[in-house]
Amino acid sequence: MLNQHHQKVSWKKEGLAGLIGYFTTVYIVAVNSQILHSAGLPLESGMIATILASALGCLIMAIYANAPMVLIPGMGVNALFAYSIVEGTGLTFQEGLAVVFVASLIFLITAFTKLGDWLKHAIPDSLKHAITVGLGLFLTLIGLEKGGLVVRGEHSLITLGNPSSAIVITSILTLFIGIFLFTKNVPGNFLVTMIAGTIIAHFTGVLGERGDSLALSEQSWIFMPDFASVTEFGFWMAVFPLAIVLIFENMGLIHGQLDMLDQQSKFKRSYQASAFSALSTGFLGTSPTVSSAESAAVIASGGKSGRAALTMAVLFIGTIFLIPWISMVPSTAIAPILIIVGALMVQNIKEIPLDQLSEAMPAFLIIVMIPFTYSIADGMAFGFIAYPIVKFAIGKQRELTTPVVLIAMVFLIEFIMRSLGH
């Protein structure tokens, strides 16, 4: 039994780690709600959804896994939801939430069965890392667009935005501040960047309007996913990439964080907690939560148990009262964060064996096709289809696993059906 003094010190340390975790991740409320807004959700509803999902995720992690991890809607996963699943396939927002629910259910099944391990070993690392790099480039492109740094060109697909416009100047200034703070490793650098960007936007005249004091009774708190298109092939082609990204992103992030803690024994329950949390997001109105990379900041600050996660859950709930101010944050303050997060995700390219063409070529296709097709699912499809083809071409078919071939075939069938449908 811990003595009272030790317990007091421990709570203090865990609480402080949780506070640092909250300040490094609260930027997600403004960023995620803007991305959900692209999928048709009102901005304030998106903020409430993000806050509730983050608070519940941290609470599940605290109680079920007793681990100091922060669960927030994942960057990259939210882009997949808004731009590929809802906008790209023409599903309604509620049908998109049904996709979230089913993909999270698959994630939950892998967390409680041997299926997770089987998939982990069956899908090549080069393709997993390529998806992360492709997501990074996609987030960067969205950030460049939101900041007005690139626009649709008259004679080209993309061209440079007007460098003299107030929006572009504000975005560039905020980006420089963000890069400076990030490279200096300033605690809560994204939050500070967002605040600085909002102040600059005030002086350059591109600031958003402050929201009215929030009428909480008028907001949607619980959403019902719409399963109307569950019998359609397109629905399952949306579920598929989301499930794959959820499974591998959480596997990698949690494994890395527990390595820092030296507590790999907590992997199973932390992974299961992430799956339960993701499942709840289908009813809260947001894209799934993942174990955030910022959990590293919590652990580095001395967080060792669920107490840090519990602290973050309480602080996220308190964020509801800040919504009128958060709604003032302009896209010029959000764009630099997307660009920096994109840069961090692209670092995974060093994990891909670029000297082995049979691994590098399919990975390359995923990396370039995700941003160029503006669809994470289509980008993944190109790489997964190419993988068996390249392996057969050089006589390395023995390296192929059944899941990879099956996934490639499903993507190929989807492309064929789509071409026949047009």
Side-chain angles (χ1 to χ4, degrees), residues 80-207:
L80 170 52
F81 173 74
Y83 301 104
S84 292
I85 292 171
V86 178
E87 275 191 359
T89 55
L91 295 175
T92 65
F93 188 79
Q94 270 76 10
E95 286 172 330
L97 292 178
V99 170
V100 166
F101 177 78
V102 176
S104 301
L105 197 58
I106 293 168
F107 173 26
L108 191 65
I109 291 165
T110 67
F112 278 92
T113 61
K114 295 239 184 317
L115 190 63
D117 262 355
W118 183 66
L119 273 173
K120 183 181 171 182
H121 298 299
I123 292 183
D125 285 343
S126 60
L127 297 187
K128 289 183 222 164
H129 292 305
I131 294 167
T132 305
V133 177
L135 280 172
L137 289 177
F138 189 50
L139 278 180
T140 305
L141 178 60
I142 295 165
L144 292 169
E145 281 182 337
K146 276 189 176 294
L149 296 164
V150 298
V151 292
R152 289 179 195 275
E154 274 180 47
H155 307 295
S156 61
L157 281 173
I158 295 176
T159 188
L160 191 64
N162 176 6
S164 62
S165 80
I167 287 178
V168 173
I169 291 166
T170 308
S171 299
I172 290 172
L173 285 173
T174 312
L175 179 61
F176 283 146
I177 289 169
I179 291 169
F180 177 81
L181 293 172
F182 193 84
T183 48
K184 286 279 184 194
N185 213 3
V186 173
N189 44 56
F190 285 156
L191 180 64
V192 180
T193 301
M194 215 163 64
I195 293 167
T198 307
I199 293 166
I200 293 168
H202 169 72
F203 288 110
T204 55
V206 295
L207 191 61

Side-chain angles (χ1 to χ4, degrees), residues 246-315:
L246 277 179
I247 291 163
F248 292 126
E249 194 157 322
N250 280 294
M251 241 179 222
L253 284 164
I254 294 169
H255 188 76
Q257 286 149 13
L258 290 174
D259 257 359
M260 276 182 75
L261 258 182
D262 207 14
Q263 290 186 3
Q264 280 302 338
S265 57
K266 286 187 177 177
F267 178 83
K268 197 170 184 185
R269 287 183 84 84
S270 301
Y271 188 63
Q272 289 166 349
S274 298
F276 280 125
S277 175
L279 196 64
S280 72
T281 59
F283 299 98
L284 295 175
T286 175
S287 52
T289 50
V290 301
S291 176
S292 157
E294 282 89 356
S295 297
V298 183
I299 295 163
S301 313
K304 286 187 168 57
S305 73
R307 293 170 181 178
L310 190 62
T311 307
M312 291 185 278
V314 172
L315 290 168

